[in-house]
Amino acid sequence: MNDTQFQLIKEQLIKLTSKDCFYKKKFEGIDVAGIQNEEDFRKLPFTWKGDLREAYPLGLMAVPEEEIVRIHSSSGTTGTPVIIPYTKQDVDDWALQFGRCYKMAGVTNRDRIHITPGYGLWTAGIGFQNGAESIGAMTIPMGPGNTDKQIRMMQDMKSTVLCATSSYALLLAEEIAKRGVGDSICLRKGIIGSERWGEKMRKRIAAELGVTLYDVYGLTEVYGPGIAISCDYECGMHYWDDFVYIEIVDPKTGEPVPDGEIGEIVITTLRKQGAPLIRYRTHDLSRKIPGECKCGSKYPRIDTILGRTDDMVKVKGVNIFPSQVDELLKSVEGASSEFQIMIDHINGKDLLTLFVEVEAGANKYAVESQLISDFKSRIGMTPIVKPVDLGDLPRSEKKSTRVFDNRY
Ligand code: ZN
């Protein structure tokens, strides 16, 4: 935490606890004025999504209503949604941050930006839109759906930048290829938001569309997409540390992890007015990338999102999550993508067994020994590996269960 960040946080804490609002209640009994340094700050309780839900509808509002110009809401698929109020300043700050994202991706006011994420209560489309306008680019506010019209507009308007989720970008890429109209598409950049996506998918989209791709990160609770983006070197995402303070903590204990290690992203907003957040648990897994980036930007980096904390297990002191195993299997010849992890506690010890389907004709012994050594070197512990035949592991129509923890 640098001095400016500490000062901004301190001012915000004093302001928030001196008037009736969400944090006055949450921090009741805590001597906020006594916070002298980063260590003291880290003793403050976390803010959880559940806290935000309880504040529904407008309990998070931290300024008089006259100052609120807009609300956004996170998708309420699991019950009560979260409502985030924005002041004019918040809206402008968000646009400025998203503008920086476009600039990082080399987008300029000569570009034509084709925006396919949805407009409305959630923060996607409108975030891409305001950011693009802030750098003076021409926007084509399509929203999702109607692939025919998307492609037609892309051709006629000569769109140069595509904003989309990874799955929609792939669908468009495939449709363009299928119709054989690739030559009339002028795209040069793709700004891709929100989902975790693999290297294989990235390469396909980039190749089919002939574009350079950038990952943009953000969440509705903290402005929306646009608080971080990858650069040309594709080594993590730069985040705007003059607007957000990021901690990476062990999702189980809440303790900070050393720089470079994987944990949960915890965000404190530094300048937000409508609904500031202190130590907000995002459930997104990433790590801080130490050192400076080759691109020369001074903004610090986090890794691309590696998964969600709900998928993670801790074995022998090592945090393990399914996407790491996905990654691992890709480089092992003869291993398929299907696997299951079984964790047991036998004779006082945790044991991790990795069942993995191997392709027909593959050398099971070779797959086993390579997986053991790769698992050890890249994840940090030694598993028991059991290669099985293709189709031996159960299939599910829904998302397959990858991890069975039999310890508790
Ligand atoms: Zn960079």
Side-chain angles (χ1 to χ4, degrees):
M1 183 183 287
N2 63 38
D3 287 350
T4 320
Q5 287 173 326
F6 182 74
Q7 282 317 318
L8 286 167
I9 289 174
K10 184 90 200 239
E11 279 165 32
Q12 198 172 63
L13 286 171
I14 303 280
K15 202 159 46 169
L16 286 175
T17 48
S18 62
K19 59 186 167 192
D20 252 349
C21 70
F22 174 77
Y23 278 106
K24 178 160 189 177
K25 219 159 86 192
K26 186 161 173 77
F27 289 165
E28 213 176 325
I30 296 173
D31 176 21
V32 164
I35 293 175
Q36 295 303 329
N37 50 40
E38 186 174 350
E39 211 185 317
D40 295 343
F41 169 75
R42 291 210 156 155
K43 289 181 192 138
L44 286 174
F46 292 114
T47 304
W48 302 85
K49 184 126 181 182
D51 297 336
L52 273 46
R53 283 209 185 94
E54 275 174 33
Y56 183 86
L58 281 171
L60 288 174
M61 194 160 68
V63 293
E65 195 185 322
E66 303 88 277
E67 292 174 38
I68 300 297
V69 300
R70 186 200 286 176
I71 61 137
H72 282 292
S73 163
S74 67
S75 54
T77 44
T78 51
T80 316
V82 169
I83 303 278
I84 305 289
Y86 294 64
T87 64
K88 172 80 168 58
Q89 187 66 49
D90 292 337
V91 169
D92 291 348
D93 286 348
W94 181 20
L96 182 147
Q97 292 174 75
F98 213 135
R100 279 187 198 166
C101 289
Y102 283 120
K103 286 180 195 160
M104 181 70 81
V107 176
T108 73
N109 59 2
R110 305 288 303 267
D111 277 297
R112 299 181 178 184
I113 306 186
H114 190 101
I115 300 170
T116 68
Y119 288 73
L121 270 178
W122 66 321
T123 48
I126 205 161
F128 282 94
Q129 176 82 27
N130 288 350
E133 288 178 3
S134 83
I135 62 160
M138 183 199 294
T139 60
I140 303 147
M142 298 296 297
N146 199 342
T147 304
D148 282 329
K149 193 168 172 191
Q150 298 277 4
I151 295 175
R152 172 93 199 270
M153 286 296 273
M154 228 179 257
Q155 291 172 303
D156 294 349
M157 295 305 302
K158 299 190 169 29
S159 310
T160 58
V161 177
L162 173 67
C163 301
T165 60
S166 52
S167 40
Y168 199 52
L170 182 63
L171 186 147
L172 285 171
E174 285 171 343
E175 286 298 319
I176 288 166
K178 209 190 287 173
R179 289 158 208 224
V181 295
D183 285 349
S184 59
I185 299 292
C186 305
L187 293 175
R188 58 183 203 98
K189 309 265 180 190
I191 314 276
I192 308 297
S194 80
E195 302 155 293
R196 193 179 78 74
W197 49 320
E199 210 38 49
K200 279 182 183 164
M201 189 170 181
R202 169 184 278 276
K203 287 209 172 98
R204 265 187 73 200
I205 298 171
E208 300 254 1
L209 291 176
V211 296
T212 316
L213 295 171
Y214 301 83
D215 292 295
V216 72
Y217 175 66
L219 53 164
T220 298
E221 297 90 318
V222 184
Y223 297 104
I227 63 171
I229 191 166
S230 59
C231 65
D232 286 334
Y233 290 88
E234 289 184 16
C235 50
M237 302 182 288
H238 292 276
Y239 65 92
W240 318 126
D241 64 346
D242 48 347
F243 284 95
V244 290
Y245 174 66
I246 288 186
E247 298 168 78
I248 306 285
V249 305
D250 183 312
K252 293 261 155 73
T253 65
E255 292 300 317
V257 302
D259 269 7
E261 276 184 28
I262 294 163
E264 178 177 349
I265 300 177
V266 173
I267 300 181
T268 297
T269 61
L270 300 175
R271 298 171 191 275
K272 223 156 174 265
Q273 299 175 333
L277 288 178
I278 309 291
R279 306 198 80 205
Y280 181 63
R281 299 282 297 249
T282 63
H283 292 296
D284 288 327
L285 289 169
S286 183
R287 62 190 189 97
K288 284 196 178 167
I289 300 182
E292 271 186 30
C293 183
K294 275 184 268 178
C295 75
S297 167
K298 297 285 177 228
Y299 288 106
R301 285 171 296 159
I302 49 171
D303 211 333
T304 44
I305 303 306
L306 303 161
R308 299 277 297 165
T309 52
D310 328 314
D311 304 332
M312 201 185 76
V313 284
K314 194 165 192 166
V315 185
K316 291 184 185 168
V318 178
N319 289 326
I320 299 167
F321 43 93
S323 60
Q324 278 176 306
V325 181
D326 270 329
E327 266 319 294
L328 204 65
L329 291 177
K330 261 184 235 161
S331 57
V332 176
E333 200 181 327
S336 86
S337 59
E338 291 307 302
F339 68 92
Q340 264 184 2
I341 290 172
M342 206 73 84
I343 302 158
D344 298 286
H345 192 74
I346 297 167
N347 298 332
K349 274 197 215 154
D350 284 344
L351 289 179
L352 183 149
T353 312
L354 172 65
F355 294 88
V356 58
E357 291 186 0
V358 296
E359 280 150 18
N363 180 341
K364 280 188 184 165
Y365 179 73
V367 170
E368 179 180 339
S369 58
Q370 200 194 332
L371 266 176
I372 291 174
S373 91
D374 286 4
F375 204 105
K376 169 80 182 133
S377 66
R378 284 160 64 177
I379 299 178
M381 64 156 297
T382 307
I384 299 162
V385 174
K386 303 247 183 196
V388 299
D389 289 329
L390 265 190
D392 274 5
L393 296 175
R395 298 286 191 267
S396 165
E397 287 191 8
K398 287 182 250 151
K399 209 176 136 204
S400 323
T401 306
R402 299 291 198 184
V403 180
F404 295 87
D405 196 341
N406 305 323
R407 289 175 296 182
Y408 310 106

